[in-house]
Amino acid sequence: MQFDIAFALSTVPSILSAIGMTLLVAAVSCVGASAVGFGLELIRRSGGPGGLFVRFLIDFIRATPVLVWLYCLYFILPFYGIRLGALATGMIGLSLYYSGYLAEVFKAGIDAIPKGQAEAARALGLGRMDMTVFVIAPQMLRNIAAPMGNYFVSILKATPYLAVLAVPEMLGRAFDIASDTYRYAEPLTVAGLIFLGLALLISLAIKRLEIRLLGPTAR
Amino acid sequence: MIRTDSTLAVQITSLNKWYGAFHVLKEVNLTIPSGSRVVICGPSGSGKSTLIRCLNGLEAYQQGTVTLGTVRLGDNARETALARRQTGMVFQNFNLFPHLTVLSNCTLALRRVLGMPRAEAESLARHFLEKVRIPEQADKYPAQLSGGQQQRVAIARALCMNPRLMLFDEPTSALDPEMVKEVLDVMTGLAQEGMTMICVTHEMGFAREVADQIVFMDQGSIVEQASPMTFFSTPTHPRAQSFLHTLLH
């Protein structure tokens, strides 16, 4: 059986029709993972018993496969009366899973900020919240634009895991076509190429963001 | 409580601080009347920076009291925060916020801490940038300025908060020699306006000209405290004598 380009092209519209779902899952998970990860890192830095727990939690998250998280959220939570839809479960699962990795990235980004920055903020009377939002976070973002972008690409590439929960995203659609037609090479290649294109777009956007952040303000 | 006098007296009593087993500040007692200008000097590691960092809460201490005006630091969280807010600090490495323009560096605390509207904060900031003779740099970023200019911005940023006490932690030590003067000139101007100032510095010319009290520290203790005239002409402590000797020769 040879690769049939005409057939491959014929699968494009159907696979592309699921791109919205893939992008939705990826976008929500990127935002969710960043928010949760930043929160985890702030708690970890604050020390105390909460910090110790979060330190353990971050290591725990990073040491477990993402599929385990998805299965647990989807099949085990209902036993405790918590019923989330497949889509919500998937996005929460990816957010939690990647929050552990992003927390590590944020940690590196904050550690790289000179101590004098927080001291100057405190000497000016800024509260902890204002200091975090206006002094620490912007400088952290400058330090971590590139590694954060890498994780955003990883999150995009992790969206097909949601197939196990029957969320209709792109790779799932490609598999549907494959099992209907018994031709695997074409739809999977098409899905792969679309993922490649999206990943390149994210990288490009991050590059531009990095240039903008560093612009005239570089130390 | 609203006070009408514009400067703040400082009282340090039996201050002791340890870093682990290392005794950094030993029984420090110091009274700084409102409106006076104190220069703290001494060899590296003598505890002078640590001492002024205790005055605005950047360092914790284990024993003793620090009183700013009528407020004893640590007694009451709200009053302590308020007293600290009336204290401006200038650092050796400027510590300007690199991601913000000069103007935004000056307005951030005005807007977030005092809740001042943007227009008012900006005009106040421009007033102080003018005062440190750098108004034309308002829209640049710190990295685009020279060290001396950055330090003057840092002074303007502190002045924006209307402090009644200014702390300077080796403000010229990170500067190229030709930029030291522009910063010292600004500080001299402040002193002439009657600001209470505590400066940790090795600039003995500045100390002689501006200070009304010189405090010499060694190994965590104040070993000599005198007027500039007495200190420079007839230092009594052998450590101060040798310090001055190496500085002047």
Side-chain angles (χ1 to χ4, degrees):
Chain A
M1 197 158 66
Q2 288 213 318
F3 192 91
D4 182 343
I5 292 181
F7 174 64
L9 287 175
S10 75
T11 65
V12 171
S14 170
I15 294 175
L16 265 185
S17 71
I19 199 174
M21 179 60 79
T22 292
L23 288 177
L24 172 75
V25 171
V28 171
S29 303
C30 284
V31 172
S34 300
V36 176
F38 190 54
L40 287 178
E41 177 52 21
L42 289 184
I43 299 172
R44 176 161 64 174
R45 295 190 95 75
S46 70
L52 218 62
F53 172 73
V54 165
R55 181 172 302 195
F56 166 78
L57 184 66
I58 290 172
D59 286 344
F60 178 75
I61 289 173
R62 296 195 307 145
T64 40
V66 62
L67 275 178
V68 172
W69 279 85
L70 293 175
Y71 277 122
C72 283
L73 289 173
Y74 196 63
F75 294 112
I76 297 177
L77 283 186
F79 281 110
Y80 300 94
I82 303 170
R83 249 169 252 281
L84 303 163
L87 179 61
T89 304
M91 294 191 299
I92 292 171
L94 289 185
S95 295
L96 288 178
Y97 182 71
Y98 280 96
S99 71
Y101 288 90
L102 282 166
E104 292 294 319
V105 173
F106 294 144
K107 173 175 157 48
I110 296 175
D111 286 347
I113 300 172
K115 233 179 68 191
Q117 292 291 308
E119 290 182 351
R122 278 167 63 196
L124 285 168
L126 288 174
R128 187 181 278 272
M129 186 70 175
D130 281 336
M131 186 203 306
T132 304
V133 172
F134 294 101
V135 177
I136 301 301
Q139 297 190 58
M140 177 194 78
L141 279 181
R142 292 187 352 170
N143 294 341
I144 60 162
M148 195 163 88
N150 288 342
Y151 278 110
F152 285 177
V153 172
S154 294
I155 290 174
L156 171 76
K157 293 189 300 179
T159 54
Y161 282 124
L162 270 61
V164 300
L165 310 180
V167 172
E169 50 65 59
M170 276 199 304
L171 194 67
R173 179 62 57 86
F175 265 114
D176 289 347
I177 296 171
S179 48
D180 284 350
T181 59
Y182 300 107
R183 299 194 69 107
Y184 285 83
E186 292 86 354
L188 292 184
T189 304
V190 167
L193 287 174
I194 295 174
F195 271 110
L196 176 66
L198 290 177
L200 287 175
L201 279 180
I202 295 180
S203 309
L204 213 71
I206 292 287
K207 254 275 148 19
R208 294 188 64 125
L209 176 74
E210 201 177 8
I211 290 168
R212 250 197 67 173
L213 285 174
L214 287 175
T217 73
R219 241 190 295 277
Chain B
M1 190 174 66
I2 294 162
R3 293 167 50 105
T4 47
D5 61 336
S6 60
T7 58
L8 209 57
V10 181
Q11 174 93 44
I12 301 168
T13 315
S14 297
L15 194 67
N16 280 282
K17 177 179 172 63
W18 287 264
Y19 282 127
F22 181 55
H23 201 171
V24 252
L25 292 177
K26 299 171 186 159
E27 279 296 304
V28 173
N29 288 288
L30 188 59
T31 301
I32 297 167
S34 150
S36 63
R37 299 162 309 273
V38 177
V39 162
I40 304 178
C41 57
S44 311
S46 58
K48 37 194 205 306
S49 287
T50 308
L51 176 62
I52 72 164
R53 288 163 59 89
C54 285
L55 301 185
N56 71 343
L58 287 181
E59 296 280 353
Y61 43 87
Q62 284 81 28
Q63 278 174 20
T65 58
V66 174
T67 310
L68 298 182
T70 54
V71 176
R72 208 165 84 171
L73 293 189
D75 276 1
N76 172 316
R78 262 194 55 190
E79 283 189 344
T80 299
L82 201 68
R84 270 185 201 150
R85 198 185 293 169
Q86 294 169 334
T87 304
M89 176 108 179
V90 174
F91 299 88
Q92 180 175 356
N93 295 313
F94 331 134
N95 293 349
L96 293 176
F97 304 132
H99 59 296
L100 298 178
T101 61
V102 162
L103 192 65
S104 304
N105 262 279
C106 294
T107 56
L108 179 62
L110 288 174
R111 300 192 58 201
R112 300 305 308 176
V113 179
L114 303 183
M116 197 179 275
R118 178 198 283 267
E120 197 183 330
E122 288 186 351
S123 88
L124 192 65
R126 285 185 197 279
H127 165 76
F128 283 108
L129 288 172
E130 194 120 357
K131 187 167 175 161
V132 300
R133 300 193 275 278
I134 204 166
E136 70 284 356
Q137 312 286 4
D139 298 316
K140 291 202 178 157
Y141 287 91
Q144 296 169 299
L145 306 185
S146 72
Q149 291 173 322
Q150 291 192 47
Q151 193 60 298
R152 284 185 283 148
V153 171
I155 293 173
R157 177 175 73 174
L159 291 177
C160 278
M161 296 301 283
N162 191 25
R164 305 192 306 170
L165 163 69
M166 283 290 285
L167 307 174
F168 293 85
D169 188 4
E170 302 205 26
T172 57
S173 299
L175 296 178
D176 292 338
E178 69 266 33
M179 291 167 186
V180 169
K181 186 174 179 304
E182 63 189 57
V183 171
L184 291 181
D185 284 349
V186 167
M187 291 168 62
T188 306
L190 266 183
Q192 282 160 357
E193 287 170 23
M195 175 72 77
T196 310
M197 291 167 58
I198 305 177
C199 314
V200 171
T201 182
H202 295 296
E203 294 295 331
M204 290 301 122
F206 172 81
R208 200 191 289 263
E209 186 189 344
V210 174
D212 49 22
Q213 210 183 139
I214 309 257
V215 170
F216 182 83
M217 291 184 72
D218 187 41
Q219 296 181 7
S221 306
I222 293 180
V223 296
E224 181 141 1
Q225 187 178 352
S227 71
M229 191 128 82
T230 318
F231 180 76
F232 287 110
S233 57
T234 51
T236 51
H237 196 275
R239 198 67 190 81
Q241 286 166 355
S242 74
F243 178 79
L244 281 175
H245 189 78
T246 48
L247 265 188
L248 300 176
H249 296 283

